[in-house]
Amino acid sequence: MTSTPLLTDLPSYPKLQALASTLKRARIDQFFIEDPLRTDSFRVQAAGLKLDYSKQLLTKEALTLLLQLADEVGLQQRVRALVAGEPINSTEQRPALHSLLRAAEGGALDAEFRQVCVTRERMKHWVDRLHQGAHSGFSGQPISDVVNIGIGGSDLGPRLTTEALKPYQGHIACHYVANVDPTDLQDTLSNLNPASTLFIVCSKSFRTEETLANGLVARQWLLAAGATAADMDMHFLAVTCNREAAAQFGISANNCLPLWDWVGGRYSVWSAIGLSSAIAVGWPNFERFLEGARGMDEHFLQAPGEANMPLLMSLLEIWYCNFFGAPSQAVLPYSQHLKCLPEFLQQLTMESNGKRVTAQGTALEYSTAPLMWGVAGTMGQHSFHQWLHQGTSLCPVDFVLPLTTHSDKPEQLRQLVANCLAQSRALMIGRSESAALSTLLRRGFSGPEAKRLAPHLVMPGNRPSSTITFEALTPETLGALLALYEHRTFCSGQLWGVNPFDQWGVELGKEIGAEVLDQLMGESNPSDDQTDPSTSALANAWKALN
Amino acid sequence: MTSTPLLTDLPSYPKLQALASTLKRARIDQFFIEDPLRTDSFRVQAAGLKLDYSKQLLTKEALTLLLQLADEVGLQQRVRALVAGEPINSTEQRPALHSLLRAAEGGALDAEFRQVCVTRERMKHWVDRLHQGAHSGFSGQPISDVVNIGIGGSDLGPRLTTEALKPYQGHIACHYVANVDPTDLQDTLSNLNPASTLFIVCSKSFRTEETLANGLVARQWLLAAGATAADMDMHFLAVTCNREAAAQFGISANNCLPLWDWVGGRYSVWSAIGLSSAIAVGWPNFERFLEGARGMDEHFLQAPGEANMPLLMSLLEIWYCNFFGAPSQAVLPYSQHLKCLPEFLQQLTMESNGKRVTAQGTALEYSTAPLMWGVAGTMGQHSFHQWLHQGTSLCPVDFVLPLTTHSDKPEQLRQLVANCLAQSRALMIGRSESAALSTLLRRGFSGPEAKRLAPHLVMPGNRPSSTITFEALTPETLGALLALYEHRTFCSGQLWGVNPFDQWGVELGKEIGAEVLDQLMGESNPSDDQTDPSTSALANAWKALN
């Protein structure tokens, strides 16, 4: 791979800096007055999604320069390298082929694509078998419940997909257990019947501490309920690269679905890691989910920069992060079924781009991945929106809004939509002191009282947002939405010059975790030599009680 | 009320600025070498909680100056004004008496305290009645499920409490519905039996759009199942200041528990708003919850500054926010039952202190409330911890760790504890390039490979955290924990000079929401005159589909 330049070394960077410092004094609402057709210019669609980014602090000039930035970093070539299967994950010297997982054909990657197709067939086999009631537990009862045991990328994607597609839910209920805290599994199992419960143990390495611990407890739970060791094949599937370790756990090759080293955990919902959600919604719906993502892939590959939705969203991320110093980005889905989206995107964006060196190991002096966060609207309006409107930190918002509902309460949907639109408008227009004053007088406050209170009602406005809409939350639009953020994350990684596919920063914690675990298990108390005085005091406090 | 000075005008402020700029080059791990007894100096306990803040980038000198800052702002007097019932919520000219809700005596606030006691008795009556199976629905079946309908402060507190105290759960299951998105209520009701379901409609004003909409649908659901209008009193309780509006909804005075204007929504879990959680865990446990908070109140009032846990945590918040520019603060509970804590604290801290003017209306030029966020450990380790360790943003962490478990899987608890301790240590010590190199060589990488990869394993460390531990997650420790963060929020509000008890910034969104709703309901399409072109285009897109 050629080395990527530093963002700050790109020719357009200083021009954008200068422009940003001018635009800090500009008003978004003024842009609409200057150009009444602005919304038409700052709107794109792709794969069933529409992005309105006209409420951003962005001019055509800024956009042109940002698109140049993408050219200067050679983004198009990077995208081609990504889909061609070049070892774009350079530190681990392997490709990142998550798009192939939802592809309709393999092209030059035919060998890998054949593996994908074989695995899809095996997934379909399991889904259909379970849906037909043809797979039974140890007592002969058909499976009624599936528990996915996995963490991080082996949890967040299928958890989100199952929740988002609840209206497509069939008769098998899927549950998600991730935490090593024993109460997570215990609370889940307390409502389930061992005789009709199937576990899917998802771990790329089959070495994940949390997942193995929970898997073992699940096994004990089945044995305690009367299953024998020989029955385990009726109750356990595995999704992993490490078939040997799964076999040692007692999961036979037949029950073991593969992963490949060219799929990162946080990009793996399209692989067999998605099996639990495929079981929840049925195979045809899972295929529609893949198709939706494929539509976004095609758009990402083909659309020119100025119409390319993932690229535009990435440029906005860079714009606020690196030219306005915005430390965070909120995603607010106005849809209860998308309540898991912020946590999914937290992993996708922050684990991918939360890096301090380039792909070549050069330390960076500029910011990378902003903090990604949010909750489902309208919940946040009664919580942190005060901060969004009147806090002192710049936080661009992505509103995500399905325009119709699967429910039969259209009047509530109307309220939901009105709230979403109103929030983006309120963030933009704000409220001046004189408007605050009139509002208070209209409400019957006396002159002096109104004057005293007005500053508290003032909102600076000019707070940027995009709104992503789609006709309905379907398997296709969900697939397109997740692929959109995947590609946005890829583009931002390239612009920052980091490798979005590794995660070396999580290793030290694991190593120290093993050391601390030894100390907690040891006969003697941990000493300050083994660790630091704070950690040894905390460890000793635990030992005194356990 | 006397006017509070600006943080930046306090005499200690420039001294702290100078000290912070020196400390930016200091190392936390070095502090432990210089002072092996550091952990003893930077540790306090209160009401069953222990705070270890020795892994903070803090020296005794800095702490002394921060405590002076608190003196200079007159914090002690402010605390006394708070508990004495002075109108500390100055914009709304009323007191903030959440501590009185858990008090054992009223002192000078005897009139209010008597109302609190009467309400506690009424809550106890309802809890006991339901637990005894003495309250039945329209068909004579005893109540088996309670659905709390509320949003923001009428949801997050009881939701957290019910979840956190799951091991104390009795035979009545409590559910929480907040979102105006109709799927929230619909999904909840799909598993419930109308004949044995009780709704608690929580809204201070009884005008909350989401809550009333959901309440009406709940009513229709009961009527559709065969209940009559006369049966509604068997199925609805209200918690509100606005008894008239509740009566209009059809909830009789007997079924209506009061709130008072001196309780803010985000401080109201101790009031009748907590009724659903009291039903979940039973009255004696709810009383223990109040007692735990009371213990923290007493500590907060009595402990000197250097031993005062809420004050110390607030000073740390100010330290990183205003002297190091940290834009966010993570809270990571290593306890699955505390998974709702971050969202609760998000409202508590960001709605309270996400302000841009002082209590007197002066615009601020410094930062207030950092973004508060987090998820339960160990989940985050497989998601955003990469960013915590190697990202480019400073984010102090509060680890929250119960030292024992209600579960019978102590080996998993040991793993959980080891992970929590290891994360705080890894954040602090980091990994140098030479350590990274040895690690890679030890793992069998060739010299050139190890050299190429080492920069990716480097972690700067020096990332600050506190660890809050307690023996077990009980009603008492939960109460103490929430009261701790309440008082921390109060102290920070005083230091920033803002009023932590109002939320004027949420009003404009509501006003515009009503306008947009009118446009969505109207016969003609919204025009750009009524709103901006982006919002009218989005509204018209919705109308075209609905």
Side-chain angles (χ1 to χ4, degrees), chain A residues 329-355:
Chain A
Q329 149 92 56
V331 60
L332 306 179
Y334 273 63
S335 163
Q336 187 66 9
H337 285 159
L338 285 174
K339 69 179 179 189
C340 301
L341 182 65
E343 261 183 62
F344 174 85
L345 295 180
Q346 209 159 55
Q347 182 194 23
L348 178 63
T349 65
M350 294 167 75
E351 196 171 55
S352 292
N353 290 331
K355 309 281 165 74

Short mmCIF file of all heavy atoms in Angstrom, two decimals, chain A residues 329-355:
data_model
loop_
_atom_site.label_atom_id
_atom_site.label_comp_id
_atom_site.label_asym_id
_atom_site.label_seq_id
_atom_site.Cartn_x
_atom_site.Cartn_y
_atom_site.Cartn_z
N GLN A 329 -20.23 13.82 18.10
CA GLN A 329 -21.24 13.74 17.03
C GLN A 329 -22.38 12.92 17.59
O GLN A 329 -22.16 11.81 18.07
CB GLN A 329 -20.60 13.04 15.84
CG GLN A 329 -21.54 12.23 14.97
CD GLN A 329 -22.11 13.02 13.82
OE1 GLN A 329 -21.36 13.56 13.02
NE2 GLN A 329 -23.42 13.09 13.72
N ALA A 330 -23.59 13.47 17.53
CA ALA A 330 -24.74 12.71 18.03
C ALA A 330 -25.49 12.07 16.87
O ALA A 330 -25.59 12.66 15.79
CB ALA A 330 -25.69 13.63 18.80
N VAL A 331 -25.99 10.89 17.08
CA VAL A 331 -26.93 10.28 16.14
C VAL A 331 -28.22 10.03 16.91
O VAL A 331 -28.22 9.36 17.96
CB VAL A 331 -26.37 9.02 15.46
CG1 VAL A 331 -26.02 7.94 16.46
CG2 VAL A 331 -27.34 8.48 14.42
N LEU A 332 -29.30 10.62 16.43
CA LEU A 332 -30.57 10.56 17.14
C LEU A 332 -31.62 9.92 16.25
O LEU A 332 -32.24 10.60 15.43
CB LEU A 332 -31.01 11.98 17.56
CG LEU A 332 -29.98 12.78 18.37
CD1 LEU A 332 -30.53 14.17 18.68
CD2 LEU A 332 -29.61 12.07 19.66
N PRO A 333 -31.81 8.61 16.38
CA PRO A 333 -32.84 7.97 15.57
C PRO A 333 -34.22 8.25 16.16
O PRO A 333 -34.46 7.94 17.33
CB PRO A 333 -32.49 6.48 15.69
CG PRO A 333 -31.66 6.33 16.91
CD PRO A 333 -31.07 7.67 17.23
N TYR A 334 -35.10 8.85 15.38
CA TYR A 334 -36.47 9.04 15.85
C TYR A 334 -37.27 7.79 15.49
O TYR A 334 -38.11 7.78 14.58
CB TYR A 334 -37.06 10.34 15.27
CG TYR A 334 -36.72 11.51 16.18
CD1 TYR A 334 -35.40 11.90 16.39
CD2 TYR A 334 -37.71 12.19 16.90
CE1 TYR A 334 -35.08 12.92 17.26
CE2 TYR A 334 -37.40 13.22 17.77
CZ TYR A 334 -36.09 13.57 17.95
OH TYR A 334 -35.77 14.59 18.83
N SER A 335 -36.99 6.74 16.22
CA SER A 335 -37.56 5.42 15.99
C SER A 335 -37.11 4.54 17.14
O SER A 335 -35.91 4.28 17.30
CB SER A 335 -37.02 4.87 14.66
OG SER A 335 -37.23 3.48 14.59
N GLN A 336 -38.07 4.08 17.92
CA GLN A 336 -37.72 3.27 19.09
C GLN A 336 -37.01 1.99 18.67
O GLN A 336 -36.13 1.51 19.38
CB GLN A 336 -38.99 2.96 19.89
CG GLN A 336 -38.77 2.26 21.21
CD GLN A 336 -38.04 3.10 22.23
OE1 GLN A 336 -37.81 4.30 22.04
NE2 GLN A 336 -37.64 2.46 23.32
N HIS A 337 -37.36 1.45 17.51
CA HIS A 337 -36.71 0.22 17.07
C HIS A 337 -35.25 0.43 16.69
O HIS A 337 -34.50 -0.54 16.57
CB HIS A 337 -37.49 -0.40 15.91
CG HIS A 337 -38.76 -1.06 16.34
ND1 HIS A 337 -39.82 -1.30 15.50
CD2 HIS A 337 -39.16 -1.53 17.55
CE1 HIS A 337 -40.81 -1.89 16.16
NE2 HIS A 337 -40.43 -2.03 17.41
N LEU A 338 -34.86 1.67 16.52
CA LEU A 338 -33.43 1.96 16.23
C LEU A 338 -32.69 2.40 17.48
O LEU A 338 -31.62 3.00 17.39
CB LEU A 338 -33.31 3.02 15.13
CG LEU A 338 -33.62 2.53 13.71
CD1 LEU A 338 -33.60 3.69 12.72
CD2 LEU A 338 -32.61 1.46 13.27
N LYS A 339 -33.21 2.06 18.65
CA LYS A 339 -32.57 2.53 19.88
C LYS A 339 -31.15 2.00 20.05
O LYS A 339 -30.34 2.61 20.73
CB LYS A 339 -33.43 2.19 21.10
CG LYS A 339 -33.49 0.71 21.41
CD LYS A 339 -34.35 0.43 22.64
CE LYS A 339 -34.40 -1.07 22.90
NZ LYS A 339 -35.35 -1.44 23.92
N CYS A 340 -30.83 0.86 19.43
CA CYS A 340 -29.47 0.32 19.55
C CYS A 340 -28.50 0.92 18.54
O CYS A 340 -27.30 0.60 18.58
CB CYS A 340 -29.47 -1.20 19.38
SG CYS A 340 -30.49 -2.08 20.56
N LEU A 341 -28.99 1.75 17.62
CA LEU A 341 -28.10 2.29 16.59
C LEU A 341 -26.92 3.09 17.16
O LEU A 341 -25.78 2.89 16.73
CB LEU A 341 -28.91 3.14 15.60
CG LEU A 341 -28.12 3.73 14.43
CD1 LEU A 341 -27.57 2.64 13.51
CD2 LEU A 341 -28.98 4.71 13.61
N PRO A 342 -27.17 4.00 18.12
CA PRO A 342 -26.01 4.76 18.62
C PRO A 342 -24.90 3.87 19.18
O PRO A 342 -23.73 4.11 18.90
CB PRO A 342 -26.63 5.66 19.70
CG PRO A 342 -28.05 5.85 19.26
CD PRO A 342 -28.44 4.51 18.67
N GLU A 343 -25.25 2.83 19.92
CA GLU A 343 -24.20 1.96 20.47
C GLU A 343 -23.47 1.20 19.37
O GLU A 343 -22.26 0.97 19.45
CB GLU A 343 -24.77 0.97 21.49
CG GLU A 343 -24.55 1.45 22.89
CD GLU A 343 -25.03 0.46 23.95
OE1 GLU A 343 -24.51 -0.66 24.00
OE2 GLU A 343 -25.95 0.83 24.71
N PHE A 344 -24.20 0.79 18.36
CA PHE A 344 -23.56 0.12 17.22
C PHE A 344 -22.58 1.07 16.54
O PHE A 344 -21.43 0.71 16.26
CB PHE A 344 -24.63 -0.35 16.23
CG PHE A 344 -24.08 -0.92 14.95
CD1 PHE A 344 -23.71 -2.26 14.88
CD2 PHE A 344 -23.91 -0.13 13.83
CE1 PHE A 344 -23.18 -2.78 13.71
CE2 PHE A 344 -23.38 -0.64 12.66
CZ PHE A 344 -23.02 -1.97 12.60
N LEU A 345 -23.02 2.31 16.32
CA LEU A 345 -22.15 3.27 15.63
C LEU A 345 -20.99 3.72 16.51
O LEU A 345 -19.93 4.09 16.01
CB LEU A 345 -22.97 4.49 15.19
CG LEU A 345 -24.03 4.20 14.13
CD1 LEU A 345 -24.79 5.47 13.77
CD2 LEU A 345 -23.42 3.58 12.87
N GLN A 346 -21.20 3.66 17.82
CA GLN A 346 -20.11 3.97 18.75
C GLN A 346 -18.94 3.03 18.49
O GLN A 346 -17.79 3.45 18.37
CB GLN A 346 -20.63 3.79 20.17
CG GLN A 346 -19.99 4.64 21.20
CD GLN A 346 -20.86 4.77 22.43
OE1 GLN A 346 -21.28 3.78 23.02
NE2 GLN A 346 -21.15 5.98 22.84
N GLN A 347 -19.23 1.74 18.41
CA GLN A 347 -18.14 0.81 18.11
C GLN A 347 -17.59 1.05 16.71
O GLN A 347 -16.38 1.14 16.51
CB GLN A 347 -18.59 -0.65 18.24
CG GLN A 347 -17.40 -1.57 17.98
CD GLN A 347 -17.75 -3.03 17.75
OE1 GLN A 347 -18.86 -3.36 17.36
NE2 GLN A 347 -16.79 -3.90 17.99
N LEU A 348 -18.51 1.13 15.74
CA LEU A 348 -18.07 1.23 14.34
C LEU A 348 -17.12 2.40 14.15
O LEU A 348 -16.03 2.27 13.57
CB LEU A 348 -19.29 1.38 13.43
CG LEU A 348 -18.99 1.56 11.94
CD1 LEU A 348 -18.29 0.33 11.36
CD2 LEU A 348 -20.27 1.84 11.16
N THR A 349 -17.50 3.56 14.66
CA THR A 349 -16.69 4.75 14.36
C THR A 349 -15.52 4.91 15.32
O THR A 349 -14.42 5.25 14.90
CB THR A 349 -17.56 6.03 14.39
OG1 THR A 349 -18.04 6.24 15.72
CG2 THR A 349 -18.75 5.91 13.44
N MET A 350 -15.74 4.64 16.60
CA MET A 350 -14.70 4.95 17.58
C MET A 350 -13.63 3.87 17.65
O MET A 350 -12.47 4.15 17.94
CB MET A 350 -15.33 5.19 18.95
CG MET A 350 -16.20 6.45 18.96
SD MET A 350 -17.27 6.59 20.42
CE MET A 350 -16.06 7.08 21.65
N GLU A 351 -14.01 2.62 17.44
CA GLU A 351 -13.00 1.57 17.42
C GLU A 351 -12.24 1.61 16.09
O GLU A 351 -11.05 1.31 16.02
CB GLU A 351 -13.63 0.19 17.63
CG GLU A 351 -12.62 -0.89 18.00
CD GLU A 351 -13.27 -2.21 18.42
OE1 GLU A 351 -14.08 -2.75 17.65
OE2 GLU A 351 -12.97 -2.70 19.52
N SER A 352 -12.92 2.03 15.03
CA SER A 352 -12.25 2.10 13.73
C SER A 352 -11.27 3.27 13.66
O SER A 352 -10.13 3.10 13.25
CB SER A 352 -13.29 2.26 12.61
OG SER A 352 -14.07 1.09 12.47
N ASN A 353 -11.73 4.43 14.06
CA ASN A 353 -10.93 5.63 13.81
C ASN A 353 -10.41 6.31 15.07
O ASN A 353 -9.83 7.40 14.98
CB ASN A 353 -11.74 6.62 12.97
CG ASN A 353 -11.94 6.11 11.54
OD1 ASN A 353 -11.11 5.37 11.01
ND2 ASN A 353 -13.05 6.50 10.92
N GLY A 354 -10.61 5.71 16.23
CA GLY A 354 -10.06 6.27 17.47
C GLY A 354 -8.59 5.92 17.58
O GLY A 354 -8.18 5.13 18.41
N LYS A 355 -7.79 6.54 16.74
CA LYS A 355 -6.38 6.19 16.58
C LYS A 355 -5.52 7.44 16.70
O LYS A 355 -5.95 8.54 16.35
CB LYS A 355 -6.15 5.56 15.19
CG LYS A 355 -7.09 4.41 14.82
CD LYS A 355 -6.72 3.09 15.45
CE LYS A 355 -7.84 2.06 15.39
NZ LYS A 355 -8.08 1.47 14.08
#
